Amino acid sequence: MHARYLIIGSSHAGREALAAIRMADPQGRLVMLSRERHRPYSPTILPYVVSGRSDPRKVGLGSVAWFAENRAELVLDAQVVAVDADARAVRLADGGCWTYDKLLLATGAEPVVPPVEGLEGVRYHVLRTLDDALAIRARAATARRAVVLGAGLVGMHAAETLAGAGLDVTVVEMRPHVLAEYFDPRASTLIRETFERHGTHMMMGRRVERAAGVETEACRLGLDDGTELEADLLLVAAGVRPALRMLADSGIATDKGILVDTRMRTARDGVWAAGDVAQAPGFPTGAPMVNGTLPEAVEQGRIAGMDMAGDDDLRPYLGGIPLNTYGFFGRHAVAVGAAAAPAGDGVEVVTDEGDGYCRIALKDNRLIGLAAIDRVMDAGILWRLIQRRVDLGPVRDRFLSHPLETARALMSRGWR
Amino acid sequence: MNQLVNSSRKIVCDGNEAAARAVVLARPDVVSVFPITPQSSLVESLSQFVADGVLTAELINAEGEHSVLSALQGACLAGARTYTATSGPGLAFMFEPYIRTPGLRLPMVVSLVTRDMLSPQCVWGGQQDAMTVRECGWIQVYCENVQEVLDTVIMAFKLAEHKDVLLPVNVCHDGNYLSYAVSRIELPAAEMVDGFLGEPDVNWHIALDPDRPMAVDPLTGGTGPGGAASFVGYRKSQVRGMANALEVFSDIHVEWGERFGRHWAPLVEEYRLEDADYAIVTIGSMTGAGKDAVDAARERGEKVGLIKVKTYRPFPRDAIIAALGKVKAAGIVDRSVSFAWDCGPLHQDVMTTLFASPHRLALVGFIGGLAGADITSEHFQRVIELTAQAARGDVSASPIWLNEHD
Amino acid sequence: MASQDTIRFISERCDGCGDCMTACAKAKGSASRVAIVAGSDGGWEMALCRQCGDPKCVANCPAGALDKHRDSGIVDWFKDLCVDCHLCTVGCVYGGIVFDPAAGHVQKCDMCDGSPACVPACDKGALEHLSAAGRLHEIHADKEDMFVPGLSACQGCNSELLIRHTMRRIGRNSVVAAPPGCIPGMGTVGYNGQTGAKMPIFHPLLTNTAAMLGGVKRQYERKGRDVTVVALAGDGGAVDVGFQSLSGAAERGERVLFICVDNEGYMNTGMQASGSTTFGSWTSTTPVGEIGRGKSTDGKYLPQLLMGHGCAYVATASTAFLDDYHAKLEKALEASRTGFAYLHVHAPCPTGWRFPAAMTTEVCRRQVETNFVTLWEFTPEDGLCFTRGVGRPRPVSDYVGMIGKYKHLGPAELERIQASVHRRVEVLQGFRRRSTAAG
Ligand SMILES: Cc1cc2nc3c(=O)[nH]c(=O)nc-3n(C[C@H](O)[C@H](O)[C@H](O)COP(=O)(O)OP(=O)(O)OC[C@H]3O[C@@H](n4cnc5c(N)ncnc54)[C@H](O)[C@@H]3O)c2cc1C
Ligand code: SF4
């Protein structure tokens, strides 16, 4: 079977590309393949599926009607196992084959399972798919003690959810801080303390070295400092890596992820990649980076789709900027850019704990990063200020004392 | 009041009320009114009939005659049988939509309660108003008495709406002399009038109706392709409608006579003309006094007759020629003036008509009854004398102003 | 996606009073969704949802809790789907969707069901409720175009726009009168047996439009048929010779909609002055010469006179504000079912007023921004209500300077125009209902 546009992966990057293609080309056959048996959904929603707050049937990213309106075919249960860029074809696990004119790889990321002795012998969970979430939810109903391995976004979300479900939760993180890829140590500490206040055990700077099964589902874990933990529910959330397996021998260049340029083109003609699977130029240096966040997947997906359809309005990618918003126990945090950049080497850091927490990193009077807790911030505006390297010189003091209002005023003026 | 429309009976009323009662019997859909002397009591009667539920028409109390006729044009284009009445300055104010009505081929009936025109300022009868608009394309008929007013207003609807005619009709009755003169008349039964007139069908040819969308009166003519032919086509058919009116109106009078027992001469009435040597020619209410004078002269052995012009527009050329063919001289009495010709308009028309006939006769023109002045039997006595004189070869210089010394 | 309703911020007019925020907070019972913030130059700036055509907040939502409504164009937020991830705030560069700590979730402007509370709260006129032509297109695109495709209107004339919009709305079950002037002049009623419109349409006289339509309507009422009856007249047929019949029909409450398309003169016959021609205007009968300085008196302001007739509905409109026009057309049509309705549409004429054809809509807008033209509606029950604020107008010279027919005017004459603009606004304010006028 042949498609003019073939998209692998039905999450944010794929969906956004689909919409962008249809803006420019209303006709060409457009097919989306997903290995899932569920209709498209976002991985970000999964913690809320675990907690029961989100109904799995309502969390769809694209309804049947939406696909119909966009004249796009969605093929479920279609796992791609190989890409042949010479033949412009992909092969499916069930032996099927699709040829294409233009291919988008939006296969996202998969959980990393760290090398822990005995882990393969025990029942553990990961959280990336809806089935994963439903399994954890089922298990949490009877479990008493949960151990979460890793304090990244997934681990922290899951820990809060499980704590909310009444489990006794322990988080083990080998790095000294939670969410270290986004927040500076002070912010991380504030977040961690909040977890602790809510009864979650936060074991920072520890490594799980051994795992052993106890009964059918429970297990015993041995940490590097000799601590022994028992868990009825073990969640491995030690990070993700791009889902590249099907690319072997395809000639598509990869590093940590699929290497793409500012139009999301891979090394092979007719193949694009976007989202968590891609390694795109980072901001401001252009050095390739995997920036596995949802807004980034959306942005890259749109650019890929526009380029695939030959949309003249395409503006090349400006470079990935780490960025996140994070709600926890009724509090809220935001981190944009190099929010954890240490002072010195031209970087100026101003922190303010007057009302919540705010850390601003400037370089040459330009914003390079900002982290805040319990402070209302417009993450989108801050993102733009960084990306456009807006000179804050004239409003520096105001920006430092009133970042929200000053950023809004700058943006509003720019838009008029 | 209801029995008024349901059974034939005799009543006493003036010409204005007779016209209003004729309108009730004609069952128009829309009536629009604005008062003016000497027409006012006519529209008062109409309004009262509407207020009493005797006349179930839409009554539009417009802010002036211009809008009166305009509103009726709109209503007619939407399929309404329509009626109004006016006089003198009111007619002048109505002129802009008035002159447009025949070209639109709207079969409306408008009574002109005739009045002399300003200036000098005057509020009394005279036919100057109606005569001024004699070239606008309206059919004009003039009534002699109150009964004829009633009968003619009803017949006018049938004439206007006739598919070979489709033109507006002015039924003229003299201000003061007919508007206020009271006499005993017979009011026909409503069902009989219904049977006579039938349902109105006034906009089959031109309509403002969403069920039959069309542009009404787009720009027509000019030097563009087909423009000239198109305009000529419209004008010719309008003229043809006018010409058809003579025969149609005659037929209507015959039918009227058969149904209601009153026989009026539709175009021209010949009175005691069979053996006459000479005749007087009259129009409107003066005819009564004229006939009296003729009767008196006949008593004295004068061979005089009378020709009454009822239908003035279109001008009944053949009927006039036939009537005048019987006499050697005619005295024509006008109640208005033709400024172009130093004579009355009727006189002018008669002269023009005679050119088409080999028959030559002596004509004497009289102008009388202006601004409410009476034309008495004595005046007619003089008319008869001067006409007899003309028949004998001694033709007085026209016009002779009958009320010059009154 | 088509563009949709938004709220426009006119920074120059804002004095930072925060009334809009108060109104929003009150209307929503939560933190204000519009934020006024101090600008760097002493002025004021605004953060508010723009209801973007291609909203990034929606694209960023993992939970399907945001959706751009297909018809209204409003970006809707659904509380029960939201999981409080705040990723939407990352997508927005306007500060239009913001976490509200008190509420515990994000909040955004929902345009208050089409009549935003903040806009009328601003008496400085700094907020304007805009809906782009795109939305009108959405509403009207499916309706039949009732008008001939090729027309002989002047380039840049806004009458065609107005006629098409109006006719599309009123549709086939109507009767339209187009008295002599530019409207039939451009072929609306047709030539030599051909028509310019798909509904019944006719040329009344310049003088008798309202009366004729009254007659048409009466007959249909008598027959129990519901037919919409509309006049598309120029200012001559309304302000001058048409005035008597218009006044009479208004007084009688004929169930008619009379639309006056006011180009301030007899433009079709060669740009002669009419009663509606404004002070100082050059026209071919008020020329400029050694002595002549254009028209020496002010124009007759017909909509005010129609208010005096107690019509069921009177409103003014400008084609630069088509959404406002459509809203008024809707109300006027409704009002014309029970009484006389009058719409006065200002129609700058590029040919006769001497400005570039491409500028018409800008000229229309400028008329309104300077209060040379005010947008309002009137009903006997509610009095006059401005549909666009009249506070803080631009100086009238900003408008006059765009128009060639005023080219000869000096400062004293400009001052007089400015004064009469002020005066008219004051007079109109007096027509507001006492309770609202007090506020
Ligand atoms: C629990 C959790 C919480 C998160 N929270 C946040 C957050 O708060 N903020 C944030 O910015 N990001 C968050 N993320 C990350 C965010 O969800 C991802 O960045 C985003 O989903 C990336 O989208 P994507 O389209 O690139 O890939 P994915 O969402 O990973 O989708 C890839 C799709 O491709 C399909 N696929 C993969 N391989 C194949 C194949 N071989 N054949 C067919 N189909 C295939 C998969 O089934 C999947 O549907 C979270 C992720 C998780 C798991
Ligand atoms: S905060 Fe709510 S609305 Fe915003 S992106 Fe998250 S789920 Fe969607």
Side-chain angles (χ1 to χ4, degrees):
Chain A
M1 277 172 293
H2 182 82
R4 172 148 181 78
Y5 304 100
L6 188 63
I7 296 175
I8 320 288
S10 63
S11 179
H12 291 286
R15 180 177 85 141
E16 199 65 15
L18 189 158
I21 290 168
R22 272 294 174 252
M23 286 273 199
D25 178 359
Q27 291 308 330
R29 186 172 184 197
L30 207 173
V31 176
M32 178 180 268
L33 306 181
S34 169
R35 68 176 171 203
E36 290 276 342
R37 56 188 179 86
H38 302 286
R39 290 195 61 80
Y41 61 88
S42 168
T44 303
I45 208 77
L46 298 176
Y48 311 98
V49 173
V50 173
S51 72
R53 176 166 174 183
S54 289
D55 179 343
R57 284 162 306 177
K58 284 196 194 157
V59 296
L61 274 188
S63 62
V64 175
W66 186 83
F67 277 93
E69 264 165 38
N70 282 292
R71 288 171 306 287
E73 299 155 54
L74 172 67
V75 185
L76 296 177
D77 210 359
Q79 173 154 13
V80 174
V81 292
V83 175
D84 182 345
D86 293 325
R88 298 205 177 216
V90 302
R91 208 175 69 241
L92 302 184
D94 64 5
C97 176
W98 280 86
T99 56
Y100 62 83
D101 294 337
K102 305 187 183 205
L103 173 70
L104 174 65
L105 300 166
T107 48
E110 337 176 286
V112 172
V113 178
V116 173
E117 190 193 321
L119 189 58
E120 64 285 357
V122 302
R123 175 82 194 262
Y124 66 87
H125 294 265
V126 292
L127 181 57
R128 185 72 195 189
T129 68
L130 185 51
D131 287 339
D132 294 341
L134 294 171
I136 297 172
R137 181 167 168 74
R139 180 69 192 134
T142 54
R144 217 168 36 79
R145 298 155 305 174
V147 171
V148 175
L149 214 161
L153 260 184
V154 175
M156 294 294 275
H157 274 304
E160 183 180 348
T161 297
L162 294 170
L167 277 74
D168 182 33
V169 181
T170 303
V171 176
V172 184
E173 167 62 54
M174 71 189 196
R175 287 181 289 184
H177 296 293
V178 304
L179 299 172
E181 57 275 62
Y182 300 110
F183 291 98
D184 61 287
R186 178 69 189 131
S188 295
T189 303
L190 291 169
I191 295 170
R192 194 196 73 228
E193 287 170 359
T194 306
F195 272 70
E196 286 166 347
R197 268 202 302 283
H198 283 83
T200 306
H201 312 289
M202 304 298 288
M203 306 186 72
M204 310 309 291
R206 308 284 171 72
R207 186 191 301 269
V208 175
E209 291 191 328
R210 298 169 312 279
V214 186
E215 298 143 27
T216 30
E217 298 259 351
C219 67
R220 176 170 298 132
L221 304 170
L223 273 55
D224 54 351
D225 63 352
T227 314
E228 297 270 313
L229 293 173
E230 281 204 13
D232 308 315
L233 191 165
L234 172 60
L235 174 66
V236 176
V240 295
R241 71 167 148 251
L244 302 173
R245 262 172 303 177
M246 75 285 197
L247 297 184
D249 307 326
S250 66
I252 295 169
T254 58
D255 173 29
K256 293 194 196 85
I258 303 171
L259 289 165
V260 293
D261 64 10
T262 56
R263 305 173 84 89
M264 302 302 134
R265 296 179 182 182
T266 69
R268 295 300 305 261
D269 260 6
V271 184
W272 283 257
D276 280 11
V277 77
Q279 193 175 354
F283 182 88
T285 60
M289 72 184 281
V290 174
N291 189 12
T293 64
L294 189 159
E296 206 59 73
V298 167
E299 179 79 0
Q300 294 181 5
R302 170 169 24 236
I303 290 173
M306 290 176 85
D307 197 41
M308 289 166 77
D311 192 325
D312 293 335
D313 291 337
L314 182 146
R315 275 190 267 155
Y317 188 57
L318 290 171
I321 295 175
L323 161 157
N324 229 310
T325 51
Y326 180 46
F328 56 103
F329 296 108
R331 304 183 69 181
H332 58 109
V334 55
V336 189
D345 201 13
V347 176
E348 219 182 320
V349 172
V350 180
T351 46
D352 171 11
E353 293 199 41
D355 175 18
Y357 173 79
C358 182
R359 180 185 198 272
I360 300 172
L362 299 177
K363 192 173 184 181
D364 302 331
N365 278 335
R366 286 166 169 83
L367 183 67
I368 60 165
L370 184 149
I373 298 175
D374 290 345
R375 283 274 196 100
V376 173
M377 288 290 164
D378 300 310
I381 293 180
L382 296 173
W383 188 26
R384 273 302 160 98
L385 289 180
I386 294 173
Q387 198 179 49
R388 292 186 173 186
R389 299 178 227 232
V390 174
D391 182 8
L392 298 176
V395 294
R396 201 189 124 93
D397 293 343
R398 284 228 339 250
F399 184 79
L400 293 175
S401 61
H402 294 91
L404 173 77
E405 293 79 5
T406 312
R408 283 180 173 176
L410 285 168
M411 234 40 223
S412 162
R413 194 186 163 81
W415 288 113
R416 273 197 285 111
Chain B
M1 270 295 193
N2 269 338
Q3 79 202 77
L4 184 127
V5 286
N6 287 332
S7 63
S8 165
R9 63 190 178 110
K10 295 215 165 38
I11 59 163
V12 173
C13 70
D14 64 19
N16 279 352
E17 187 183 333
R21 287 180 181 277
V23 172
V24 170
L25 290 167
R27 298 193 202 277
D29 298 289
V30 182
V31 168
S32 183
V33 300
F34 186 85
I36 183 166
T37 303
Q39 159 266 35
S40 300
S41 64
L42 196 168
V43 298
E44 287 166 9
S45 298
L46 279 177
S47 305
Q48 190 64 50
F49 288 140
V50 171
D52 292 339
V54 172
L55 173 58
T56 58
E58 279 287 314
L59 176 72
I60 302 177
N61 275 286
E63 79 292 343
E65 292 85 352
H66 192 284
S67 286
V68 162
L69 194 63
S70 300
L72 295 183
Q73 287 182 346
C76 187
L77 285 164
R81 180 176 281 169
T82 54
Y83 175 84
T84 190
T86 190
S87 275
L91 176 61
F93 184 42
M94 189 185 273
F95 186 70
E96 195 191 16
Y98 178 87
I99 197 166
R100 193 185 194 201
T101 312
L104 284 170
R105 309 298 297 270
L106 299 180
M108 309 168 108
V109 174
V110 174
S111 285
L112 296 183
V113 187
T114 56
R115 169 172 161 178
D116 225 311
M117 287 305 275
L118 316 183
S119 269
Q121 176 70 266
C122 90
V123 294
W124 299 282
Q127 294 168 351
Q128 195 69 43
D129 54 357
M131 288 295 167
T132 301
V133 296
R134 66 190 182 278
E135 278 312 328
C136 290
W138 285 62
I139 292 169
Q140 283 193 346
V141 297
Y142 289 74
C143 300
E144 177 184 341
N145 56 41
V146 175
Q147 182 74 59
E148 192 178 18
V149 169
L150 183 128
D151 292 359
T152 305
V153 167
I154 296 171
M155 285 191 281
F157 283 101
K158 190 158 179 135
L159 171 62
E161 292 169 14
H162 195 284
K163 290 197 163 74
D164 295 337
V165 177
L166 273 174
L167 286 167
V169 180
N170 282 149
V171 181
C172 306
H173 67 262
D174 286 321
N176 300 53
Y177 291 97
L178 280 178
S179 62
Y180 305 145
V182 170
S183 60
R184 189 181 144 92
I185 61 164
E186 193 173 299
L187 199 61
E191 306 80 30
M192 286 182 67
V193 175
D194 291 344
F196 172 74
L197 281 182
E199 283 296 311
D201 183 12
V202 299
N203 70 342
W204 54 272
H205 58 304
I206 181 174
L208 287 171
D209 183 345
D211 290 346
R212 286 181 287 145
M214 64 175 80
V216 166
D217 218 6
L219 272 188
T220 301
T223 50
S230 179
F231 198 92
V232 168
Y234 282 117
R235 270 290 179 271
K236 264 184 87 174
S237 87
Q238 186 181 339
V239 168
R240 201 180 317 120
M242 202 67 170
N244 292 344
L246 293 172
E247 192 183 330
V248 171
F249 205 29
S250 302
D251 294 346
I252 289 171
H253 275 71
V254 169
E255 188 186 342
W256 182 266
E258 284 165 359
R259 286 180 185 248
F260 298 95
R262 279 188 297 285
H263 302 271
W264 305 98
L267 311 177
V268 167
E269 180 187 346
E270 298 180 5
Y271 182 74
R272 305 189 84 164
L273 203 60
E274 283 319 309
D275 59 341
D277 284 338
Y278 60 96
I280 61 174
V281 182
T282 61
I283 183 165
S285 63
M286 67 169 84
T287 306
K291 285 177 178 169
D292 289 349
V294 166
D295 289 345
R298 282 275 180 182
E299 296 276 302
R300 297 193 302 274
E302 291 288 332
K303 297 188 106 179
V304 59
L306 180 145
I307 301 168
K308 164 188 152 187
V309 176
K310 176 171 187 177
T311 299
Y312 179 61
R313 285 292 179 268
F315 198 68
R317 275 184 308 199
D318 295 348
I320 290 283
I321 289 171
L324 290 178
K326 298 174 179 165
V327 295
K328 295 199 276 291
I332 302 155
V333 187
D334 271 284
R335 206 169 198 135
S336 61
V337 172
S338 165
F339 295 103
W341 288 90
D342 191 20
C343 69
L346 181 57
H347 185 173
Q348 181 211 324
D349 282 308
V350 168
M351 286 196 295
T352 311
T353 302
L354 283 174
F355 187 78
S357 157
H359 179 63
R360 286 291 168 266
L361 68 159
L363 296 182
V364 190
F366 301 87
I367 293 174
L370 303 187
D374 199 0
I375 311 179
T376 60
S377 292
E378 290 72 49
H379 290 121
F380 273 113
Q381 185 54 44
R382 188 169 162 223
V383 170
I384 288 167
E385 279 164 16
L386 290 172
T387 308
Q389 200 179 301
R392 293 193 296 272
D394 179 8
V395 182
S396 311
S398 296
I400 293 154
W401 302 79
L402 290 176
N403 305 101
E404 201 170 10
H405 306 293
D406 295 351
Chain C
M1 252 178 266
S3 48
Q4 316 272 355
D5 274 31
T6 54
I7 293 167
R8 175 178 172 226
F9 177 61
I10 303 154
S11 165
E12 308 85 77
R13 297 188 182 161
C14 176
D15 66 3
C17 69
D19 286 353
C20 54
M21 293 163 65
T22 312
C24 178
K26 198 167 151 223
K28 296 299 170 195
S30 68
S32 172
R33 290 146 197 214
V34 52
I36 299 296
V37 294
S40 49
D41 50 4
W44 298 91
E45 301 291 349
M46 180 188 75
L48 177 69
C49 174
R50 306 296 209 270
Q51 320 292 348
C52 303
D54 184 13
K56 289 227 172 98
C57 57
V58 175
N60 275 2
C61 180
L66 287 164
D67 193 21
K68 187 171 175 68
H69 196 278
R70 296 174 62 108
D71 300 328
S72 72
I74 301 214
V75 177
D76 294 317
W77 172 74
F78 306 103
K79 187 172 191 299
D80 53 333
L81 291 177
C82 178
V83 295
D84 297 326
C85 68
H86 310 167
L87 283 167
C88 47
T89 69
V90 175
C92 183
V93 291
Y94 301 103
I97 183 159
V98 185
F99 177 68
D100 175 1
H105 51 69
V106 293
Q107 304 263 37
K108 70 175 295 301
C109 167
D110 62 4
M111 299 296 282
C112 298
D113 273 337
S115 48
C118 53
V119 174
C122 177
D123 59 2
K124 321 297 183 318
L127 296 179
E128 205 169 270
H129 183 189
L130 290 183
S131 79
R135 189 185 63 121
L136 299 173
H137 178 79
E138 295 267 301
I139 302 171
H140 298 287
D142 291 344
K143 298 197 179 117
E144 190 179 10
D145 188 359
M146 303 297 293
F147 206 24
V148 72
L151 282 169
S152 54
C154 295
Q155 202 174 31
C157 175
N158 66 351
S159 300
E160 179 186 350
L161 176 81
L162 185 78
I163 295 167
R164 274 191 207 285
H165 273 268
T166 307
M167 285 188 171
R168 256 181 206 275
R169 169 59 191 86
I170 61 183
R172 282 180 182 264
N173 189 30
S174 60
V175 171
V176 173
C182 292
I183 291 173
M186 67 177 75
T188 309
V189 188
Y191 293 101
N192 283 326
Q194 295 187 319
T195 178
K198 293 183 189 166
M199 72 263 284
I201 186 159
F202 71 110
H203 262 134
L205 300 165
L206 188 57
T207 45
N208 71 355
T209 309
M212 267 187 94
L213 284 179
V216 170
K217 182 74 175 191
R218 294 276 193 120
Q219 173 64 5
Y220 284 119
E221 285 173 345
R222 178 176 168 82
K223 294 289 173 204
R225 280 177 63 183
D226 185 14
V227 174
T228 303
V229 168
V230 176
L232 283 168
D235 46 298
V239 173
D240 282 350
V241 278
F243 182 66
Q244 174 177 324
S245 71
L246 173 61
S247 172
E251 174 270 320
R252 291 191 298 276
E254 303 285 5
R255 274 68 62 200
V256 166
L257 167 56
F258 194 103
I259 301 175
C260 172
V261 184
D262 181 8
N263 56 18
E264 299 176 15
Y266 295 97
M267 298 304 158
N268 191 50
T269 44
M271 307 152 216
Q272 299 86 2
S274 80
S276 177
T277 304
T278 53
F279 170 80
S281 299
W282 168 92
T283 70
S284 57
T285 53
T286 56
V288 176
E290 281 293 305
I291 298 159
R293 305 285 300 159
K295 195 177 175 216
S296 61
T297 55
D298 285 327
K300 188 198 284 185
Y301 189 50
L302 190 56
Q304 185 179 324
L305 296 175
L306 267 294
M307 268 195 288
H309 285 69
C311 298
Y313 186 75
V314 181
T316 60
S318 162
T319 52
F321 299 83
L322 266 183
D323 50 340
D324 178 72
Y325 174 69
H326 269 287
K328 288 169 175 171
L329 178 60
E330 223 45 63
K331 291 185 195 172
L333 286 169
E334 187 52 37
S336 75
R337 301 168 71 88
T338 54
F340 195 82
Y342 178 79
L343 281 178
H344 193 94
V345 187
H346 296 273
C349 164
T351 312
W353 296 16
R354 301 178 169 175
F355 61 82
M359 293 296 288
T360 307
T361 299
E362 205 40 52
V363 166
C364 290
R365 194 188 320 283
R366 198 62 68 79
Q367 286 189 309
V368 173
E369 288 175 346
T370 55
N371 278 357
F372 190 85
V373 159
T374 50
L375 300 181
W376 51 264
E377 60 188 1
F378 167 89
T379 61
E381 304 77 44
D382 295 334
L384 180 146
C385 182
F386 289 103
T387 56
R388 188 180 180 285
V390 290
R392 291 237 193 156
R394 296 169 75 139
V396 79
S397 53
D398 284 4
Y399 161 63
V400 169
M402 298 174 87
I403 312 294
K405 70 171 177 169
Y406 297 124
K407 199 173 63 199
H408 56 284
L409 297 186
E413 288 148 322
L414 249 175
E415 222 166 88
R416 175 179 162 161
I417 296 175
Q418 183 67 72
S420 58
V421 164
H422 284 325
R423 209 166 35 243
R424 174 165 304 156
V425 169
E426 274 171 24
V427 168
L428 290 174
Q429 283 168 334
F431 282 92
R432 291 188 291 187
R433 223 181 36 186
R434 183 102 28 97
S435 57
T436 38

